[in-house]
Amino acid sequence: MELVKQTRAHKARLDLNAAQVAVLDGQAHTARTLWNLLHEYFTFRQGRFARLKECDAAIRAARHEIDWMGQLPAQAAQAVLKTYRQAWANFFNPDHPAQRPTFKGRLRSRLTVDVPQARDLQIKRINRRWGTVNLPKAGRVRFRWTKDLPGLTKGGPAGRITGARLVKEADGWHIVFRAERHVPAPARHLGPQVGIDQGITVALALSDATMREHGPWLTSGQREHLRRLEKKSARQRRTRPPGRLTSKRLARTYNQIAKARATAKRRAVDWQHQTTTELADTFSVIKVEDLKIKNMVRSARGTIENPGRNVAHKAGLNRSIAGEAWDRTVTLLEYKTRDRGGQVVKVPAPGTSQTCHQCGHRDAANRDKTRFACLNPDCGWVGHADTNAAININNADGTPVSGRGDLGATRSAKRQPPRAA
């Protein structure tokens, strides 16, 4: 039986005391500073990039000369160098969407610390709900056990943990385990084909005339609490003199806003996981639009010479698009369909919502919000606009981005290596 390597990440919440939080905060800020020092050293070397050996020697010298650099474990410091070099490799790869590496700001960067070697973790399960893990310089820490980890549970999945990364979010520190397993190659999925139109009024409309919808991510009381916190932060910003650092009260308000938004995000991700799993189990080929989301959420503010129109309306639309996280839905579908022997196909987006799937007549006036009425006198089809768009997506030809079969490819088309001339 053919086996394939499967790499997955498993995220768990850490249960830390105040001293351990301070240790991890110090390590994360040291790692961020080390990134900035590497960026300065790497890019300002008399007109040439520094070599890997030079960067490694500079890190070793800095750890001996600067006391606070010792907060970061040596292996985590080497992981920063590896990540930084990979960022440049991604930037120079013409098929990779990565941007040029830049300095990391203290308030705008995500706090992370790498634990690259699994042997340092010493993971152990202590009961049904909790496990323990060893974190360098922080000691033994409990984490929430919500899923069996490969190679650590009797009768559980076979495999191993290859490392971890510590990530700080609005609700505290989390650990992301890197898990590796060898599983049988999936057989070809024999389910039907479907097209999916992603929207705001209807989250997912399928070409079989069904829909996948969700309610608000926050309750009415939570939304009102968030609204009051945002008004409070606005008042606190108005009373702060220009150039003054953020006060502790304003920082506390920002933290409360971040926690409320993190709750909404967790619920959104949970719904996306459940929905994409159901779709990957049911359908063999899933077609979606190849959306350029970065262009879609571009501000309409314009310039002083050419001011934009309907700026507030466009800003609200951008927030709604960002809240649906369409790109994350497609990413989840890609690896889940690949694991089940199916595939995801991206089709061109223009015209799918304005074209009648019955007769092919294309006119912007065909659609009126969620109602589609074909203006072709020989057709006259009437139905839900999102269902019509999903049928057009299902009928279109596109580029497979994941899965197996004659149409499939194992990686995104834009991440394929360039062909030889």
Side-chain angles (χ1 to χ4, degrees):
M1 180 182 296
E2 181 186 359
L3 297 179
V4 295
K5 185 172 72 173
Q6 185 184 85
T7 305
R8 291 288 180 268
H10 174 62
K11 183 178 177 181
R13 178 168 53 87
L14 294 173
D15 182 26
L16 305 173
N17 57 38
Q20 291 169 333
V21 170
V23 169
L24 294 187
D25 285 352
Q27 291 184 11
H29 283 297
T30 303
R32 178 189 58 82
T33 305
L34 178 58
W35 172 286
N36 291 339
L37 292 175
L38 278 171
H39 187 63
E40 183 176 5
Y41 182 79
F42 188 79
T43 54
F44 295 98
R45 289 282 296 173
Q46 298 178 355
R48 67 173 180 85
F49 288 140
R51 295 191 298 270
L52 179 63
K53 184 177 180 180
E54 295 174 336
C55 292
D56 181 66
I59 290 178
R60 294 177 185 273
R63 289 180 60 83
H64 284 91
E65 298 172 1
I66 305 175
D67 293 337
W68 52 265
M69 287 286 288
Q71 296 182 86
L72 188 66
Q75 293 179 350
Q78 292 298 319
V80 174
L81 174 58
K82 181 180 178 180
T83 304
Y84 180 77
R85 296 284 297 189
Q86 186 60 45
W88 276 107
N90 294 340
F91 170 69
F92 286 121
N93 184 357
D95 298 315
H96 200 285
Q99 301 295 320
R100 182 185 179 90
T102 59
F103 290 100
K104 290 187 176 182
R106 181 180 180 86
L107 300 179
R108 293 184 177 273
S109 60
R110 195 180 194 188
L111 297 183
T112 62
V113 180
D114 268 303
V115 186
Q117 294 191 4
R119 68 186 181 191
D120 298 333
L121 297 173
Q122 301 178 17
I123 305 168
K124 183 180 179 181
R125 187 171 189 174
I126 56 178
N127 56 41
R128 185 171 65 88
R129 294 179 179 272
W130 295 94
T132 58
V133 61
N134 189 56
L135 301 182
K137 298 183 181 293
R140 203 72 183 162
V141 175
R142 295 200 313 167
F143 69 91
R144 189 77 166 138
W145 194 287
T146 57
K147 185 178 182 180
D148 289 338
L149 298 175
L152 296 173
T153 306
K154 186 176 181 180
R160 64 192 182 103
I161 300 297
T162 60
R165 169 172 284 195
L166 308 177
V167 180
K168 188 173 186 180
E169 297 187 351
D171 56 342
W173 279 93
H174 294 73
I175 185 168
V176 182
F177 296 103
R178 291 188 287 268
E180 181 181 289
R181 297 190 299 170
H182 287 83
V183 299
R188 183 186 296 273
H189 199 302
L190 300 179
Q193 174 179 301
V194 72
I196 298 180
D197 177 65
Q198 301 183 90
I200 297 174
T201 304
V202 176
L204 301 177
L206 277 60
S207 58
D208 61 2
T210 62
M211 298 180 181
R212 306 295 187 272
E213 300 181 79
H214 59 76
W217 304 128
L218 297 176
T219 65
S220 58
Q222 290 172 328
R223 293 197 299 272
E224 176 62 20
H225 179 62
L226 177 59
R227 186 187 70 85
R228 290 176 179 272
L229 287 174
E230 290 173 340
K231 291 183 65 176
K232 181 180 179 180
S233 69
R235 290 195 301 270
Q236 291 172 331
R237 288 196 303 271
R238 284 198 299 268
T239 58
R240 182 182 60 178
R244 180 75 60 86
L245 295 176
T246 302
S247 66
K248 292 184 178 180
R249 291 183 178 180
L250 180 56
R252 184 166 59 249
T253 305
Y254 282 155
N255 290 338
Q256 292 173 335
I257 293 173
K259 288 182 179 180
R261 291 177 176 170
T263 299
K265 180 180 178 179
R266 287 195 303 273
R267 293 173 182 173
V269 172
D270 179 67
W271 179 86
Q272 287 178 311
H273 269 292
Q274 294 187 43
T275 304
T276 52
T277 298
E278 180 256 327
L279 293 173
D281 287 337
T282 305
F283 301 102
S284 61
V285 178
I286 300 176
K287 293 187 176 182
V288 297
E289 290 178 300
D290 188 9
L291 298 174
K292 308 301 180 185
I293 299 177
K294 183 179 292 188
N295 296 337
M296 295 175 64
V297 298
R298 189 168 294 168
S299 174
R301 185 172 300 174
T303 62
I304 296 177
E305 295 79 11
N306 298 304
R309 300 174 57 187
N310 298 326
V311 177
H313 175 75
K314 183 63 168 61
L317 178 62
N318 292 347
R319 285 193 295 270
S320 299
I321 294 174
E324 291 297 329
W326 294 337
D327 190 60
R328 185 168 61 215
T329 299
V330 175
T331 300
L332 296 178
L333 281 173
E334 285 183 16
Y335 82 82
K336 292 182 180 182
T337 54
R338 183 170 59 247
D339 290 348
R340 292 159 176 79
Q343 65 178 353
V344 171
V345 177
K346 288 187 176 181
V347 306
T352 55
S353 62
Q354 300 177 359
T355 304
C356 177
H357 73 275
Q358 289 276 28
C359 65
H361 176 69
R362 179 174 175 177
D363 191 337
N366 284 342
R367 177 165 184 168
D368 182 16
K369 297 182 179 178
T370 60
R371 182 177 181 272
F372 189 94
C374 182
L375 299 181
N376 183 0
D378 297 330
C379 178
W381 185 86
V382 177
H384 199 287
D386 293 335
T387 300
N388 174 77
I391 296 174
N392 285 328
I393 294 170
N394 189 39
N395 295 335
D397 295 328
T399 303
V401 292
S402 71
R404 54 181 293 155
D406 297 335
L407 297 176
T410 57
R411 295 188 298 173
S412 173
K414 65 181 177 181
R415 294 173 184 256
Q416 296 290 343
R419 296 180 179 179

